[in-house]
Amino acid sequence: MDLGVRWKLHGDGRTPAPGAVVRPDERLSWPRTFGLGAQHVVAMFGASFVAPVLMGLDPNLAIMMSGVATAIFLLATKGRVPSYLGCSLSFVGVAAVIRAQGGTSATVTGAVFVVGVALFLVGVAVRRFGARIIHAAMPPIVTGAVVMLIGFNLAPVTAATYWPQDQWTALLTMLFTGLAVVCLRGFWSRIAIFLGLIFGYAVSWLFDLVFGRIHSNDGSGKVVDHWRLDLSAVGPADWVGLPSFHGPSFEWSAILVALPVVIALVAENAGHVKAVGEMTGDPLDDKLGTAISADGAASMVSTAVGGPPNTTYSENIGVMAATRVYSTAAYWAAAAFALLFGLCPKFGAVVAAIPGGVLGGITVILYGMIGLLGAQIWINAGVDLRNPLNLVPAAAGIIIGVGNVTLEFTDTFSLSGIALGTIVVITGYHVLRALAPAHLKTQEPLLDSGTSAYDSPPGGGPKDGESGTGK
């Protein structure tokens, strides 16, 4: 059985020839391959550190399980889809809502486990019926609106929890991170979040040295005197040891909050597969369903032991584009490095000590970027917001999601925020479409601007009723 773990040496194994690329089934020399693997780990560090901390989960376990998830993905796709799977930021808002309702870490991971199951089943359905089923259930207006409300629902977390802990560090970290994202080039721009974390650490240490303790919110809601950067847990932490494991707990209220994220994950995977296929010159249309299922399976494995969910990382796509090395051998090396980092509790203690003000500055950008990805889906798909069939359900769902509107059914069961907003967008769109006059029912494009090829007939021509542009 071909599992995609055999690679041909590319050229002399040192440097790709001008204009050449190192394909997924090729590799450079092993020292260079491990160097590239380390580069991929650094590229995913920022978000993979921040996400589990924001979700209240063990960052050591998150890094370790990202390596496991990457290995599962590479095996499932038989080495044809080079990708690194890291902790998904799409679940940060879900975790915040579940914890606000009294949920524990087990409740969070249990809800996300169910999302992994749902994502796996979506992948199976796509393999069986093609990407058309994604379009039918989740056209771009729905997908974009759900991604947008998931991101913007997080705004109160930054405003009420992180920013007040140290507003000046938050402001400086936000400015530095924004400049790094915009002004740096190549690999450095891909690790802008990581650089922002380092900058924030340094500023917090300097402010503690110059100004002493700060009197502010300590993250638990209490206003007390505290150090901005508290490294007291780093010294006692072991250099080698296992991270903290725990089993999931399943509660319907938490599951309903988490399920809408499936839509965001499907969109992420579809875009990732298409982008990698275009970069490598190998059409990966037949691997879309497999990639989605592999992502779901990897998240199930991670959350089953108390880790966070995982998804494909665009940061690593950027590394591939910059180096023109698409070898899956480099990703296996990255997975090995992640496993080693996960076995170092001292490393996890350093991550867990990220100051609240630093998280405040970074999350202002991160949460906004998640929300605006929804707008990018609309732009890529050419969604017409002048059409009330698109405008009404999206507008209502986004306001419900961002404003955390609640609909109470009984004293013990209610829907609010992300869950209610998603239901309003999806059901509202399909019900209105069934009742709308014919002139409002224009032909909708597929999930994003690149996925039209997944259902193209032999020969690549457009299907009946489509322009063939994907717009």
Side-chain angles (χ1 to χ4, degrees):
M1 180 183 295
D2 181 16
L3 296 177
V5 293
R6 295 181 179 179
W7 303 274
K8 297 175 293 185
L9 187 66
H10 177 88
D12 61 2
R14 296 181 179 179
T15 306
V21 300
V22 180
R23 298 179 57 79
D25 61 348
E26 298 178 329
R27 65 170 177 84
L28 298 177
S29 65
W30 283 116
R32 286 173 172 77
T33 295
F34 278 101
L36 286 165
Q39 190 172 354
H40 277 298
V41 171
V42 173
M44 67 84 182
F45 260 11
S48 283
F49 284 172
V50 172
V53 171
L54 297 178
M55 295 175 68
L57 301 176
D58 184 350
N60 259 56
L61 182 58
I63 296 298
M64 173 184 286
M65 295 313 296
S66 74
V68 174
T70 299
I72 291 173
F73 187 90
L74 293 173
L75 289 173
T77 58
K78 297 182 179 179
R80 285 189 59 198
V81 187
S83 178
Y84 193 92
L85 269 64
C87 183
S88 174
L89 283 163
S90 299
F91 288 92
V92 172
V94 166
V97 172
I98 292 173
R99 290 186 181 278
Q101 296 174 347
T104 63
S105 293
T107 311
V108 171
T109 53
V112 176
F113 180 90
V114 176
V115 174
V117 174
L119 187 63
F120 177 84
L121 295 176
V122 169
V124 171
V126 170
R127 289 188 63 183
R128 174 66 179 83
F129 301 106
R132 183 176 296 278
I133 64 167
I134 298 177
H135 164 57
M138 299 178 295
I141 182 61
V142 170
T143 306
V146 172
V147 173
M148 187 174 292
L149 69 86
I150 287 173
F152 292 158
N153 178 265
L154 296 167
V157 177
T158 293
T161 302
Y162 298 119
W163 191 278
Q165 292 184 46
D166 186 358
Q167 61 177 355
W168 296 112
T169 296
L171 178 63
L172 291 173
T173 302
M174 179 193 72
L175 293 174
F176 177 88
T177 305
L179 286 171
V181 171
V182 174
C183 299
L184 296 181
R185 294 290 182 269
F187 172 72
W188 294 106
S189 68
R190 301 297 173 185
I191 62 169
I193 301 299
F194 181 59
L195 297 177
L197 285 174
I198 295 176
F199 175 83
Y201 256 89
V203 169
S204 297
W205 173 81
L206 181 62
F207 280 8
D208 279 344
L209 188 65
V210 175
F211 302 112
R213 298 189 180 199
I214 186 173
H215 185 74
S216 68
N217 188 326
D218 65 353
S220 66
K222 298 179 181 179
V223 177
V224 297
D225 290 330
H226 62 94
W227 296 109
R228 298 168 180 82
L229 178 60
D230 183 2
L231 297 175
S232 58
V234 176
D238 295 329
W239 281 103
V240 179
L242 290 173
S244 301
F245 297 99
H246 69 259
S249 175
F250 303 99
E251 297 181 13
W252 274 111
S253 59
I255 291 170
L256 290 174
V257 170
L259 275 175
V261 182
V262 169
I263 297 174
L265 296 180
V266 170
E268 287 178 356
N269 277 276
H272 180 92
V273 169
K274 191 62 181 180
V276 172
E278 291 177 349
M279 287 192 300
T280 61
D282 178 19
L284 298 173
D285 305 354
D286 60 317
K287 288 296 181 181
L288 175 61
T290 301
I292 294 174
S293 288
D295 192 342
S299 290
M300 290 162 59
V301 171
S302 178
T303 53
V305 297
N310 293 283
T311 190
T312 52
Y313 260 34
S314 60
E315 289 90 338
N316 297 94
I317 294 181
V319 172
M320 288 191 294
T323 61
R324 300 179 66 81
V325 178
Y326 306 106
S327 171
T328 54
Y331 282 107
W332 278 104
F337 281 125
L339 286 171
L340 292 176
F341 276 120
L343 293 172
C344 180
K346 193 174 290 291
F347 166 77
V350 173
V351 175
I354 298 174
V358 177
L359 292 176
I362 288 176
T363 54
V364 164
I365 295 175
L366 276 181
Y367 293 170
M369 288 171 65
I370 294 171
L372 290 177
L373 283 175
Q376 187 64 48
I377 290 174
W378 288 346
I379 293 170
N380 288 344
V383 172
D384 184 5
L385 290 179
R386 296 169 299 179
N387 186 336
L389 177 58
N390 294 330
L391 181 62
V392 171
I398 289 171
I399 290 300
I400 288 172
V402 174
N404 210 32
V405 174
T406 300
L407 184 63
E408 296 183 357
F409 294 90
T410 68
D411 291 339
T412 58
F413 179 73
S414 64
L415 290 172
S416 63
I418 294 173
L420 181 59
T422 299
I423 292 172
V424 167
V425 172
I426 295 176
T427 60
Y429 174 81
H430 288 291
V431 169
L432 289 175
R433 185 173 180 83
L435 301 175
H439 71 278
L440 295 181
K441 301 177 184 180
T442 56
Q443 175 68 38
E444 292 283 350
L446 287 171
L447 183 64
D448 62 39
S449 62
T451 57
S452 57
Y454 292 129
D455 284 315
S456 295
K463 295 178 285 296
D464 293 341
E466 293 184 3
S467 66
T469 62
K471 297 290 185 182

PDB file of all heavy atoms in Angstrom, residues 124-149:
ATOM      1  N   VAL A 124     -16.749  12.342   3.894  1.00  0.00           N
ATOM      2  CA  VAL A 124     -17.236  11.101   3.278  1.00  0.00           C
ATOM      3  C   VAL A 124     -18.298  11.421   2.222  1.00  0.00           C
ATOM      4  O   VAL A 124     -18.301  10.844   1.125  1.00  0.00           O
ATOM      5  CB  VAL A 124     -17.815  10.159   4.350  1.00  0.00           C
ATOM      6  CG1 VAL A 124     -18.516   8.965   3.700  1.00  0.00           C
ATOM      7  CG2 VAL A 124     -16.705   9.682   5.293  1.00  0.00           C
ATOM      8  N   ALA A 125     -19.208  12.348   2.552  1.00  0.00           N
ATOM      9  CA  ALA A 125     -20.253  12.722   1.611  1.00  0.00           C
ATOM     10  C   ALA A 125     -19.677  13.397   0.368  1.00  0.00           C
ATOM     11  O   ALA A 125     -20.139  13.149  -0.762  1.00  0.00           O
ATOM     12  CB  ALA A 125     -21.257  13.658   2.299  1.00  0.00           C
ATOM     13  N   VAL A 126     -18.653  14.233   0.554  1.00  0.00           N
ATOM     14  CA  VAL A 126     -18.030  14.897  -0.596  1.00  0.00           C
ATOM     15  C   VAL A 126     -17.345  13.864  -1.488  1.00  0.00           C
ATOM     16  O   VAL A 126     -17.395  13.954  -2.722  1.00  0.00           O
ATOM     17  CB  VAL A 126     -17.019  15.963  -0.122  1.00  0.00           C
ATOM     18  CG1 VAL A 126     -16.192  16.487  -1.287  1.00  0.00           C
ATOM     19  CG2 VAL A 126     -17.751  17.108   0.554  1.00  0.00           C
ATOM     20  N   ARG A 127     -16.705  12.874  -0.896  1.00  0.00           N
ATOM     21  CA  ARG A 127     -16.080  11.819  -1.699  1.00  0.00           C
ATOM     22  C   ARG A 127     -17.134  11.059  -2.510  1.00  0.00           C
ATOM     23  O   ARG A 127     -16.871  10.632  -3.635  1.00  0.00           O
ATOM     24  CB  ARG A 127     -15.335  10.843  -0.792  1.00  0.00           C
ATOM     25  CG  ARG A 127     -14.070  11.393  -0.167  1.00  0.00           C
ATOM     26  CD  ARG A 127     -13.295  10.303   0.542  1.00  0.00           C
ATOM     27  NE  ARG A 127     -12.840   9.268  -0.392  1.00  0.00           N
ATOM     28  CZ  ARG A 127     -12.189   8.173  -0.013  1.00  0.00           C
ATOM     29  NH1 ARG A 127     -11.929   7.961   1.275  1.00  0.00           N
ATOM     30  NH2 ARG A 127     -11.805   7.289  -0.896  1.00  0.00           N
ATOM     31  N   ARG A 128     -18.307  10.886  -1.935  1.00  0.00           N
ATOM     32  CA  ARG A 128     -19.352  10.107  -2.601  1.00  0.00           C
ATOM     33  C   ARG A 128     -20.102  10.926  -3.643  1.00  0.00           C
ATOM     34  O   ARG A 128     -20.385  10.445  -4.750  1.00  0.00           O
ATOM     35  CB  ARG A 128     -20.335   9.574  -1.545  1.00  0.00           C
ATOM     36  CG  ARG A 128     -21.554   8.854  -2.116  1.00  0.00           C
ATOM     37  CD  ARG A 128     -21.156   7.562  -2.828  1.00  0.00           C
ATOM     38  NE  ARG A 128     -22.308   6.863  -3.353  1.00  0.00           N
ATOM     39  CZ  ARG A 128     -22.902   7.131  -4.518  1.00  0.00           C
ATOM     40  NH1 ARG A 128     -22.425   8.113  -5.284  1.00  0.00           N
ATOM     41  NH2 ARG A 128     -23.940   6.444  -4.932  1.00  0.00           N
ATOM     42  N   PHE A 129     -20.447  12.176  -3.325  1.00  0.00           N
ATOM     43  CA  PHE A 129     -21.337  12.949  -4.186  1.00  0.00           C
ATOM     44  C   PHE A 129     -20.673  14.151  -4.847  1.00  0.00           C
ATOM     45  O   PHE A 129     -21.285  14.793  -5.706  1.00  0.00           O
ATOM     46  CB  PHE A 129     -22.557  13.434  -3.391  1.00  0.00           C
ATOM     47  CG  PHE A 129     -23.355  12.320  -2.780  1.00  0.00           C
ATOM     48  CD1 PHE A 129     -23.298  12.074  -1.411  1.00  0.00           C
ATOM     49  CD2 PHE A 129     -24.157  11.505  -3.563  1.00  0.00           C
ATOM     50  CE1 PHE A 129     -24.035  11.046  -0.838  1.00  0.00           C
ATOM     51  CE2 PHE A 129     -24.903  10.476  -2.999  1.00  0.00           C
ATOM     52  CZ  PHE A 129     -24.836  10.245  -1.638  1.00  0.00           C
ATOM     53  N   GLY A 130     -19.452  14.506  -4.438  1.00  0.00           N
ATOM     54  CA  GLY A 130     -18.784  15.658  -5.025  1.00  0.00           C
ATOM     55  C   GLY A 130     -19.067  16.935  -4.250  1.00  0.00           C
ATOM     56  O   GLY A 130     -19.928  16.994  -3.369  1.00  0.00           O
ATOM     57  N   ALA A 131     -18.355  17.992  -4.612  1.00  0.00           N
ATOM     58  CA  ALA A 131     -18.453  19.264  -3.891  1.00  0.00           C
ATOM     59  C   ALA A 131     -19.791  19.961  -4.094  1.00  0.00           C
ATOM     60  O   ALA A 131     -20.097  20.936  -3.405  1.00  0.00           O
ATOM     61  CB  ALA A 131     -17.328  20.200  -4.315  1.00  0.00           C
ATOM     62  N   ARG A 132     -20.615  19.461  -5.013  1.00  0.00           N
ATOM     63  CA  ARG A 132     -21.917  20.085  -5.249  1.00  0.00           C
ATOM     64  C   ARG A 132     -22.783  20.081  -3.986  1.00  0.00           C
ATOM     65  O   ARG A 132     -23.585  20.984  -3.773  1.00  0.00           O
ATOM     66  CB  ARG A 132     -22.645  19.366  -6.385  1.00  0.00           C
ATOM     67  CG  ARG A 132     -23.981  19.986  -6.754  1.00  0.00           C
ATOM     68  CD  ARG A 132     -24.589  19.274  -7.941  1.00  0.00           C
ATOM     69  NE  ARG A 132     -23.761  19.420  -9.135  1.00  0.00           N
ATOM     70  CZ  ARG A 132     -23.806  20.495  -9.914  1.00  0.00           C
ATOM     71  NH1 ARG A 132     -24.599  21.507  -9.624  1.00  0.00           N
ATOM     72  NH2 ARG A 132     -23.039  20.567 -10.985  1.00  0.00           N
ATOM     73  N   ILE A 133     -22.621  19.070  -3.132  1.00  0.00           N
ATOM     74  CA  ILE A 133     -23.449  19.037  -1.929  1.00  0.00           C
ATOM     75  C   ILE A 133     -23.066  20.164  -0.967  1.00  0.00           C
ATOM     76  O   ILE A 133     -23.895  20.650  -0.206  1.00  0.00           O
ATOM     77  CB  ILE A 133     -23.354  17.678  -1.217  1.00  0.00           C
ATOM     78  CG1 ILE A 133     -21.935  17.415  -0.703  1.00  0.00           C
ATOM     79  CG2 ILE A 133     -23.820  16.550  -2.107  1.00  0.00           C
ATOM     80  CD1 ILE A 133     -21.860  16.266   0.267  1.00  0.00           C
ATOM     81  N   ILE A 134     -21.777  20.564  -0.995  1.00  0.00           N
ATOM     82  CA  ILE A 134     -21.370  21.705  -0.172  1.00  0.00           C
ATOM     83  C   ILE A 134     -22.069  22.958  -0.665  1.00  0.00           C
ATOM     84  O   ILE A 134     -22.594  23.752   0.111  1.00  0.00           O
ATOM     85  CB  ILE A 134     -19.838  21.884  -0.226  1.00  0.00           C
ATOM     86  CG1 ILE A 134     -19.132  20.652   0.342  1.00  0.00           C
ATOM     87  CG2 ILE A 134     -19.425  23.125   0.547  1.00  0.00           C
ATOM     88  CD1 ILE A 134     -17.627  20.730   0.261  1.00  0.00           C
ATOM     89  N   HIS A 135     -22.077  23.139  -1.971  1.00  0.00           N
ATOM     90  CA  HIS A 135     -22.722  24.302  -2.557  1.00  0.00           C
ATOM     91  C   HIS A 135     -24.207  24.331  -2.244  1.00  0.00           C
ATOM     92  O   HIS A 135     -24.773  25.376  -1.926  1.00  0.00           O
ATOM     93  CB  HIS A 135     -22.506  24.292  -4.070  1.00  0.00           C
ATOM     94  CG  HIS A 135     -23.414  25.215  -4.815  1.00  0.00           C
ATOM     95  ND1 HIS A 135     -23.482  26.561  -4.549  1.00  0.00           N
ATOM     96  CD2 HIS A 135     -24.287  24.976  -5.818  1.00  0.00           C
ATOM     97  CE1 HIS A 135     -24.364  27.119  -5.359  1.00  0.00           C
ATOM     98  NE2 HIS A 135     -24.877  26.179  -6.131  1.00  0.00           N
ATOM     99  N   ALA A 136     -24.841  23.176  -2.329  1.00  0.00           N
ATOM    100  CA  ALA A 136     -26.277  23.124  -2.114  1.00  0.00           C
ATOM    101  C   ALA A 136     -26.658  23.509  -0.688  1.00  0.00           C
ATOM    102  O   ALA A 136     -27.621  24.252  -0.466  1.00  0.00           O
ATOM    103  CB  ALA A 136     -26.802  21.723  -2.434  1.00  0.00           C
ATOM    104  N   ALA A 137     -25.908  23.026   0.285  1.00  0.00           N
ATOM    105  CA  ALA A 137     -26.243  23.300   1.684  1.00  0.00           C
ATOM    106  C   ALA A 137     -25.653  24.609   2.188  1.00  0.00           C
ATOM    107  O   ALA A 137     -26.262  25.295   3.012  1.00  0.00           O
ATOM    108  CB  ALA A 137     -25.753  22.147   2.559  1.00  0.00           C
ATOM    109  N   MET A 138     -24.457  24.951   1.686  1.00  0.00           N
ATOM    110  CA  MET A 138     -23.751  26.112   2.213  1.00  0.00           C
ATOM    111  C   MET A 138     -23.203  26.974   1.083  1.00  0.00           C
ATOM    112  O   MET A 138     -22.002  26.976   0.819  1.00  0.00           O
ATOM    113  CB  MET A 138     -22.610  25.669   3.128  1.00  0.00           C
ATOM    114  CG  MET A 138     -23.060  24.873   4.336  1.00  0.00           C
ATOM    115  SD  MET A 138     -21.674  24.330   5.367  1.00  0.00           S
ATOM    116  CE  MET A 138     -20.822  23.209   4.250  1.00  0.00           C
ATOM    117  N   PRO A 139     -24.052  27.698   0.387  1.00  0.00           N
ATOM    118  CA  PRO A 139     -23.558  28.604  -0.648  1.00  0.00           C
ATOM    119  C   PRO A 139     -22.706  29.701  -0.022  1.00  0.00           C
ATOM    120  O   PRO A 139     -22.703  29.879   1.206  1.00  0.00           O
ATOM    121  CB  PRO A 139     -24.841  29.154  -1.263  1.00  0.00           C
ATOM    122  CG  PRO A 139     -25.868  29.009  -0.197  1.00  0.00           C
ATOM    123  CD  PRO A 139     -25.509  27.759   0.545  1.00  0.00           C
ATOM    124  N   PRO A 140     -21.973  30.461  -0.822  1.00  0.00           N
ATOM    125  CA  PRO A 140     -21.024  31.435  -0.276  1.00  0.00           C
ATOM    126  C   PRO A 140     -21.642  32.457   0.677  1.00  0.00           C
ATOM    127  O   PRO A 140     -20.978  32.862   1.632  1.00  0.00           O
ATOM    128  CB  PRO A 140     -20.467  32.115  -1.532  1.00  0.00           C
ATOM    129  CG  PRO A 140     -20.609  31.094  -2.597  1.00  0.00           C
ATOM    130  CD  PRO A 140     -21.865  30.348  -2.292  1.00  0.00           C
ATOM    131  N   ILE A 141     -22.873  32.882   0.435  1.00  0.00           N
ATOM    132  CA  ILE A 141     -23.476  33.864   1.335  1.00  0.00           C
ATOM    133  C   ILE A 141     -23.608  33.290   2.737  1.00  0.00           C
ATOM    134  O   ILE A 141     -23.372  33.974   3.744  1.00  0.00           O
ATOM    135  CB  ILE A 141     -24.854  34.330   0.807  1.00  0.00           C
ATOM    136  CG1 ILE A 141     -25.449  35.391   1.736  1.00  0.00           C
ATOM    137  CG2 ILE A 141     -25.804  33.164   0.628  1.00  0.00           C
ATOM    138  CD1 ILE A 141     -24.620  36.646   1.855  1.00  0.00           C
ATOM    139  N   VAL A 142     -23.935  32.002   2.840  1.00  0.00           N
ATOM    140  CA  VAL A 142     -24.065  31.340   4.136  1.00  0.00           C
ATOM    141  C   VAL A 142     -22.692  31.132   4.767  1.00  0.00           C
ATOM    142  O   VAL A 142     -22.469  31.472   5.933  1.00  0.00           O
ATOM    143  CB  VAL A 142     -24.795  29.989   3.977  1.00  0.00           C
ATOM    144  CG1 VAL A 142     -24.718  29.181   5.274  1.00  0.00           C
ATOM    145  CG2 VAL A 142     -26.242  30.215   3.580  1.00  0.00           C
ATOM    146  N   THR A 143     -21.761  30.582   3.991  1.00  0.00           N
ATOM    147  CA  THR A 143     -20.415  30.308   4.522  1.00  0.00           C
ATOM    148  C   THR A 143     -19.741  31.583   5.018  1.00  0.00           C
ATOM    149  O   THR A 143     -19.184  31.622   6.119  1.00  0.00           O
ATOM    150  CB  THR A 143     -19.546  29.661   3.436  1.00  0.00           C
ATOM    151  OG1 THR A 143     -20.220  28.523   2.918  1.00  0.00           O
ATOM    152  CG2 THR A 143     -18.212  29.234   3.995  1.00  0.00           C
ATOM    153  N   GLY A 144     -19.778  32.632   4.208  1.00  0.00           N
ATOM    154  CA  GLY A 144     -19.143  33.884   4.601  1.00  0.00           C
ATOM    155  C   GLY A 144     -19.757  34.477   5.849  1.00  0.00           C
ATOM    156  O   GLY A 144     -19.049  34.965   6.743  1.00  0.00           O
ATOM    157  N   ALA A 145     -21.098  34.446   5.947  1.00  0.00           N
ATOM    158  CA  ALA A 145     -21.769  35.012   7.112  1.00  0.00           C
ATOM    159  C   ALA A 145     -21.423  34.253   8.385  1.00  0.00           C
ATOM    160  O   ALA A 145     -21.188  34.861   9.439  1.00  0.00           O
ATOM    161  CB  ALA A 145     -23.288  35.013   6.889  1.00  0.00           C
ATOM    162  N   VAL A 146     -21.355  32.913   8.312  1.00  0.00           N
ATOM    163  CA  VAL A 146     -21.042  32.121   9.498  1.00  0.00           C
ATOM    164  C   VAL A 146     -19.607  32.363   9.950  1.00  0.00           C
ATOM    165  O   VAL A 146     -19.338  32.539  11.142  1.00  0.00           O
ATOM    166  CB  VAL A 146     -21.284  30.621   9.223  1.00  0.00           C
ATOM    167  CG1 VAL A 146     -20.773  29.778  10.384  1.00  0.00           C
ATOM    168  CG2 VAL A 146     -22.771  30.362   8.999  1.00  0.00           C
ATOM    169  N   VAL A 147     -18.663  32.381   9.001  1.00  0.00           N
ATOM    170  CA  VAL A 147     -17.271  32.670   9.362  1.00  0.00           C
ATOM    171  C   VAL A 147     -17.163  34.061   9.987  1.00  0.00           C
ATOM    172  O   VAL A 147     -16.453  34.267  10.979  1.00  0.00           O
ATOM    173  CB  VAL A 147     -16.357  32.563   8.129  1.00  0.00           C
ATOM    174  CG1 VAL A 147     -14.944  33.034   8.457  1.00  0.00           C
ATOM    175  CG2 VAL A 147     -16.320  31.123   7.614  1.00  0.00           C
ATOM    176  N   MET A 148     -17.889  35.020   9.443  1.00  0.00           N
ATOM    177  CA  MET A 148     -17.846  36.389   9.959  1.00  0.00           C
ATOM    178  C   MET A 148     -18.382  36.470  11.381  1.00  0.00           C
ATOM    179  O   MET A 148     -17.768  37.080  12.273  1.00  0.00           O
ATOM    180  CB  MET A 148     -18.643  37.311   9.037  1.00  0.00           C
ATOM    181  CG  MET A 148     -18.529  38.771   9.395  1.00  0.00           C
ATOM    182  SD  MET A 148     -19.351  39.843   8.189  1.00  0.00           S
ATOM    183  CE  MET A 148     -18.286  39.609   6.765  1.00  0.00           C
ATOM    184  N   LEU A 149     -19.526  35.849  11.643  1.00  0.00           N
ATOM    185  CA  LEU A 149     -20.098  35.963  12.990  1.00  0.00           C
ATOM    186  C   LEU A 149     -19.271  35.193  14.019  1.00  0.00           C
ATOM    187  O   LEU A 149     -19.209  35.578  15.194  1.00  0.00           O
ATOM    188  CB  LEU A 149     -21.566  35.534  12.989  1.00  0.00           C
ATOM    189  CG  LEU A 149     -21.943  34.075  12.765  1.00  0.00           C
ATOM    190  CD1 LEU A 149     -21.929  33.279  14.060  1.00  0.00           C
ATOM    191  CD2 LEU A 149     -23.352  33.997  12.148  1.00  0.00           C
TER     192      LEU A 149
END
